């Protein structure tokens, strides 16, 4: 099940990179621990938790389709978080 392992890594890396980007943007703008940045980070953590829980579900009928939908959800939610991050600038 290398695809499950890769999906978990992708979730971790994508959302981790978004959180790192928040810290970088805040440091560059001189606004550390901003309310907006904290909201983005909280959203990334919530997304991580929900996606990992979905990946670990074993009682699904079609596992391949389920994991494909999790990957699509990752892309959608990550895009939304990046859009919010771009508004910090």
């Amino acid at each position: 099940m290398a695809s499950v392992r890769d999906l978990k890594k992708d979730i971790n890396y994508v959302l981790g990179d978004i959180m790192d980007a928040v810290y970088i943007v805040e440091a560059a703008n001189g606004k550390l621990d901003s309310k907006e940045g904290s909201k983005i980070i909280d959203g990334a953590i919530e997304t991580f938790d929900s996606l990992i829980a979905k990946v670990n579900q074993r009682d699904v009928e079609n596992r391949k389709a389920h994991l494909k939908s999790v990957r699509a959800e990752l892309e959608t939610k990550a895009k939304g978080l990046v859009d919010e991050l771009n508004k910090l600038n």
Side-chain angles (χ1 to χ4, degrees), residues 7-62:
L7 179 57
K8 286 181 178 180
K9 284 182 181 180
D10 288 345
I11 291 169
N12 189 29
Y13 291 145
V14 167
L15 296 174
D17 286 347
I18 290 171
M19 290 191 302
D20 287 344
V22 170
Y23 292 127
I24 291 169
V25 168
E26 286 182 340
N29 293 336
K31 297 187 298 184
L32 298 177
D33 297 327
S34 70
K35 186 176 174 183
E36 298 85 9
S38 295
K39 180 182 170 196
I40 295 170
I41 291 171
D42 290 343
I45 292 170
E46 289 172 12
T47 301
F48 176 84
D49 290 342
S50 76
L51 291 178
I52 291 296
K54 288 180 182 180
V55 169
N56 290 330
Q57 283 181 338
R58 301 267 185 223
D59 58 343
V60 293
E61 280 189 35
N62 187 347

